[in-house]
Amino acid sequence: MSKRLHYSIRMRAAMSGVHISGAEGIYEKNDIIKMVNEFTGRALSHGKGRADEIRLTVEELKTSPVRIPSFPLRTLNTRNPEAAKKASLKILSSVGIKERAIEEVFESLNSGIAMRGAMLMDIEGVRLEPDLLRGVRVIRMGITKKAAAELSRKLGRLGLNNNTVKEALILASKVHRHRMVLGELCISDDPNYTTGYIATRTHGYIRLPRIKKRGVAYGGRAFFIAGGEVKELIKYLQRTPVLINSIKSCTGIVTLREIFESKSRR
Ligand code: WAQ
Ligand code: MG
């Protein structure tokens, strides 16, 4: 394991007090200045408008990042929100999450209440996060340069080489590394980004196009959890630095049947 120091660099940008963009990663010392530059540039030219407040955190990590592979990525050809919900129910319930918990999450995500972080939903449908309005934010995650180049190449072949997909895949890969997490559902809060995803350790990261209608300015995230100390899970999600250092397969459109037939490919 490398003894070199690593740094978590995080950016949050707001306009008139409203969050407009964020980014983060884990880097070596030589890259700090370049990344601060890049994140600042991103904040100043965001689609939602020019930031009037940019917060940057550069933090030396006291523990060496845990290195893990990314989740494999696939896409289901879901045609509308109903189809995406149906597929989510099938896949998430196959790993032991109760339908009512999944229904509960869809209801909350469609209620228009914006959370900064993710809900923690137990598999019976009971919310477990201490702050129900804010949710739990996952931070201190990143990808090595080599893995980032490989991911760009693999996503590029699918026409998916963008920050939204990359960041979501990195986040999901970190989150599901923890045994208490059984599943995840995510819908972007960007009104122009209508593809969401679900993830489980068994099935990997599954993109769900058209999970919401264009123009809807809210979304959200939920982690379905079981067994163990919620406090410990939250500590892992927030504090343990995780670095993606290899990339699993990135595949185009597959059918639900293919997903169930190939579930142990990871
Ligand atoms: N930790 C926990 N929850 C978060 C975090 C975080 N770091 N960042 C965002 N969330 C929650 C929050 O409630 C947001 O409203 C919600 O997730 C959606 O966040 O492969 O961009 O940043 O094409 O809008 C899916 C990509 C993109 C699918 C998801 O999420 C694909 C996305 P957003
Ligand atoms: Mg985002």
Side-chain angles (χ1 to χ4, degrees):
M1 201 185 288
S2 124
K3 287 265 165 8
R4 255 171 303 172
L5 283 178
H6 284 85
Y7 297 79
S8 164
I9 306 181
R10 307 190 288 276
M11 178 277 285
R12 282 175 45 57
M15 186 176 50
S16 313
V18 178
H19 174 85
I20 53 169
S21 84
E24 76 159 293
I26 293 175
Y27 305 96
E28 291 182 9
K29 197 168 182 189
N30 289 341
D31 292 319
I32 294 176
I33 290 173
K34 191 182 86 196
M35 291 317 299
V36 165
N37 222 317
E38 194 174 313
F39 284 177
T40 308
R42 232 168 111 169
L44 289 173
S45 62
H46 195 270
K48 287 190 198 166
R50 184 174 49 81
D52 58 14
E53 186 184 345
I54 303 167
R55 291 182 185 220
L56 280 153
T57 304
V58 179
E59 166 200 74
E60 183 188 302
L61 295 174
K62 302 302 178 195
T63 59
S64 194
V66 178
R67 285 147 211 265
I68 64 167
S70 68
F71 258 173
L73 171 146
R74 293 180 285 188
T75 302
L76 272 176
N77 191 17
T78 43
R79 294 187 186 282
N80 51 44
E82 293 69 41
K85 183 175 174 185
K86 218 171 139 188
S88 304
L89 279 162
K90 279 205 178 124
I91 295 167
L92 294 171
S93 63
S94 79
V95 298
I97 302 161
K98 297 271 159 61
E99 272 194 24
R100 64 170 173 276
I102 304 162
E103 292 280 1
E104 184 69 32
V105 163
F106 271 97
E107 244 165 65
S108 304
L109 297 194
N110 286 318
S111 72
I113 298 165
M115 291 169 66
R116 290 269 305 124
M119 296 178 228
L120 300 184
M121 183 68 89
D122 84 358
I123 56 174
E124 309 285 342
V126 178
R127 296 272 293 274
L128 296 177
E129 71 274 19
D131 184 338
L132 294 170
L133 290 176
R134 183 174 183 275
V136 176
R137 278 195 68 80
V138 186
I139 58 168
R140 297 188 174 94
M141 58 206 152
I143 183 166
T144 63
K145 274 188 207 170
K146 200 163 157 265
E150 193 186 342
L151 182 57
S152 291
R153 190 157 32 79
K154 286 183 171 170
L155 290 177
R157 286 191 211 126
L158 305 172
L160 294 175
N161 187 21
N162 62 69
N163 286 328
T164 305
V165 176
K166 283 190 223 170
E167 286 165 3
L169 182 65
I170 293 167
L171 184 147
S173 303
K174 173 177 177 177
V175 168
H176 291 261
R177 171 82 181 185
H178 197 289
R179 285 287 142 189
M180 281 175 71
V181 179
L182 293 191
E184 175 182 6
L185 171 68
C186 173
I187 302 177
S188 172
D189 49 33
D190 180 336
N192 291 312
Y193 204 93
T194 57
T195 302
Y197 72 88
I198 51 175
T200 79
R201 256 190 306 286
T202 311
H203 306 95
Y205 179 102
I206 300 174
R207 306 177 62 249
L208 301 170
R210 296 167 286 269
I211 196 168
K212 73 170 187 182
K213 295 209 173 76
R214 193 165 294 276
V216 176
Y218 51 82
R221 234 187 197 100
F223 305 140
F224 296 94
I225 64 177
E229 279 293 330
V230 174
K231 253 194 184 158
E232 286 302 309
L233 172 64
I234 293 175
K235 201 167 133 199
Y236 167 79
L237 296 175
Q238 297 182 334
R239 305 217 64 92
T240 305
V242 171
L243 199 48
I244 306 297
N245 72 349
S246 67
I247 305 298
K248 295 272 165 126
S249 61
C250 298
T251 321
I253 290 175
V254 295
T255 63
L256 203 52
R257 171 181 293 192
E258 285 169 309
I259 284 179
F260 282 114
E261 280 170 356
S262 66
K263 64 181 182 177
S264 55
R265 258 189 341 162
R266 273 195 87 200

